[in-house]
Amino acid sequence: GISLLQLKKFDDAEKCLLKSIELDSSPKNASSFFNLGLVYEKKGDKSQADAMYKKAEELDPELKTAE
């Protein structure tokens, strides 16, 4: 997902990260929620981005979110 994000393929990155979260929504996968937040931010959806950053931080309080 992050590679697709870096390539600015936001829709593909979103699909990939959502699949990753579907397969594993445990704390060890908090970075997928964070990266999905980045995707939503790049797509201009601030509320969805904030929700993903919050979820990432809930799963892993050590994860530094983009605020």
Side-chain angles (χ1 to χ4, degrees):
I2 193 68
S3 295
L4 293 166
L5 174 62
Q6 291 169 339
L7 292 170
K8 299 182 187 296
K9 295 185 176 196
F10 304 127
D11 290 335
D12 292 335
E14 179 182 10
K15 289 176 193 169
C16 182
L17 290 164
L18 286 171
K19 187 64 173 177
S20 173
I21 290 167
E22 177 185 325
L23 295 172
D24 181 9
S25 62
S26 71
K28 68 181 181 179
N29 201 19
S31 62
S32 289
F33 286 95
F34 178 80
N35 291 330
L36 188 55
L38 292 174
V39 168
Y40 288 136
E41 193 171 321
K42 295 290 185 184
K43 291 175 79 171
D45 190 341
K46 177 106 172 82
S47 64
Q48 276 289 85
D50 289 344
M52 293 301 105
Y53 293 144
K54 182 178 178 184
K55 181 64 175 177
E57 196 168 25
E58 286 172 4
L59 290 172
D60 183 357
E62 300 296 315
L63 187 67
K64 300 297 179 206
T65 59
E67 292 187 31

